[in-house]
Amino acid sequence: MRLVTKNEAVKRALIEELRKEGVRFEVRSREGYEAFVGYAIEGTLKEIEEKIESLEGADVEAIKEGFLSFRESLNHVLEHLKAGEKADELLKEGLWAAELLDQLYRNGAIEYDGTNVKLKEGTNIEELRFEFKFPFNLVHDPGKVEEKAKQFAFVDLVTEHEFEILELNIAKVNALGKVASKYFPEDYLLKVYFALVGRAIVAEEILKALGDRKVPEEELIKGFLRAAPIVVPTPKGTLVINYSRSSFEETLKLLKRLGYVEIKGGKVRKLKELA
């Protein structure tokens, strides 16, 4: 199970905090990208709003919602900039924060000393010129839209960092959840978290099934496949864990890699409990 980020600051913070919590993981980096294809409207905030109102050939209501979100994000960044903020801290919030900082910088509205970034005193946001972007799928008549907006494509070739989580201990998985909740969206994190919990429960059940015996590997696999899915009642509801033969075998391999079981001569033996 993996957590993936393209943010260098998030990568550094995660490595430090996961090590502190004793969570086992590996990091792999590879080429990745961020991409946006659509249209851009330029002007002051008021001018952009007026151009959106007069747009034809597009889903104006959806674009207005997008612009409202843009203004809310801008206000969020400005609140941080008024008192001054470490650039790395703001960049942790995502690519959208980096883009807004870039637009403010190009307006000459912020000061940056290499570490901290701050809004210049006396800056009137309403006088600055911005670029608001919306995706191409909101447009059904490009000819009309291009009277007010220009085509825009953005590709950012970045390094993508993949955290492979090797933890099978539930307490450590919970610690990971608390750490990662500061850096990843809730919907994304919940899926990874419950996948890790599910794998940890399957691992625990494997060790219980082994007991003090040496069990033929094929017998162990077939027994668990017959028992799938595993249903776990909880105080808040029910957790259902399903798995295929290949995913079960991967969990067994991880148990072996981490020193919890020994597989020799086609038989599996428990070496220690999860810790």
Side-chain angles (χ1 to χ4, degrees):
M1 286 68 179
R2 304 166 186 85
L3 293 167
V4 180
T5 180
K6 298 181 179 72
N7 189 306
E8 288 288 338
V10 170
K11 173 198 169 187
R12 292 195 299 271
L14 267 179
I15 289 174
E16 181 179 344
E17 294 196 52
L18 293 181
R19 283 177 177 167
K20 184 178 179 181
E21 294 292 342
V23 176
R24 284 172 285 202
F25 67 93
E26 292 178 347
V27 184
R28 290 184 289 271
S29 298
R30 59 174 180 260
E31 185 181 13
Y33 68 92
E34 293 283 353
F36 175 89
V37 180
Y39 293 84
I41 298 177
E42 295 180 348
T44 64
L45 294 173
K46 183 178 180 181
E47 289 170 349
I48 292 172
E49 189 172 14
E50 290 173 348
K51 288 179 182 179
I52 292 172
E53 289 286 354
S54 64
L55 270 181
E56 295 182 13
D59 186 343
V60 173
E61 290 306 312
I63 295 172
K64 285 166 69 174
E65 287 181 14
F67 184 60
L68 177 61
S69 178
F70 174 86
R71 294 202 65 156
E72 289 174 349
S73 297
L74 177 61
N75 289 336
H76 175 76
V77 168
L78 290 172
E79 284 301 312
H80 285 277
L81 292 178
K82 286 176 183 176
E85 178 68 275
K86 287 185 177 180
D88 276 0
E89 291 299 315
L90 273 175
L91 293 174
K92 283 181 185 178
E93 303 212 23
L95 187 62
W96 63 269
E99 182 186 356
L100 286 173
L101 285 174
D102 181 61
Q103 292 205 37
L104 289 167
Y105 181 79
R106 284 189 278 116
N107 270 283
I110 57 177
E111 300 170 339
Y112 179 54
D113 63 9
T115 302
N116 298 300
V117 63
K118 187 175 181 180
L119 189 69
K120 288 183 179 178
E121 290 187 18
T123 298
N124 185 344
I125 298 302
E126 299 303 321
E127 293 178 355
L128 304 183
R129 297 188 67 78
F130 293 95
E131 193 172 57
F132 167 66
K133 306 171 185 69
F134 56 92
F136 74 94
N137 60 349
L138 297 181
V139 173
H140 50 80
D141 189 340
K144 291 183 178 179
V145 168
E146 287 166 16
E147 294 174 6
K148 302 280 192 331
K150 63 180 182 180
Q151 292 184 15
F152 184 89
F154 172 81
V155 178
D156 186 17
L157 300 178
V158 296
T159 301
E160 185 174 83
H161 309 292
E162 180 181 271
F163 284 73
E164 180 72 33
I165 308 302
L166 305 175
E167 194 55 66
L168 294 173
N169 180 287
I170 293 288
K172 297 287 182 66
V173 170
N174 288 335
L176 175 140
K178 290 179 182 179
V179 168
S181 65
K182 295 184 283 186
Y183 305 106
F184 296 94
E186 184 179 23
D187 57 343
Y188 171 74
L189 180 58
L190 279 175
K191 293 176 182 178
V192 176
Y193 171 77
F194 279 110
L196 289 168
V197 168
R199 184 178 67 180
I201 290 173
V202 171
E204 181 66 46
E205 291 300 314
I206 291 172
L207 296 181
K208 286 181 182 178
L210 289 172
D212 297 325
R213 303 176 300 129
K214 286 185 179 181
V215 179
E217 183 176 2
E218 189 62 25
E219 178 184 314
L220 184 69
I221 294 170
K222 288 182 177 178
F224 269 85
L225 290 179
R226 286 194 297 269
I230 296 174
V231 179
V232 184
T234 75
K236 294 185 178 181
T238 303
L239 172 61
V240 180
I241 308 162
N242 196 33
Y243 45 85
S244 63
R245 181 185 179 102
S246 61
S247 63
F248 181 84
E249 288 175 341
E250 287 301 316
T251 301
L252 196 56
K253 287 178 184 176
L254 184 56
L255 279 167
K256 178 184 177 183
R257 177 181 175 184
L258 298 179
Y260 293 110
V261 302
E262 176 186 70
I263 303 176
K264 186 183 294 184
K267 292 186 177 181
V268 186
R269 178 170 70 94
K270 180 173 69 176
L271 297 177
K272 61 181 180 179
E273 301 290 347
L274 285 178

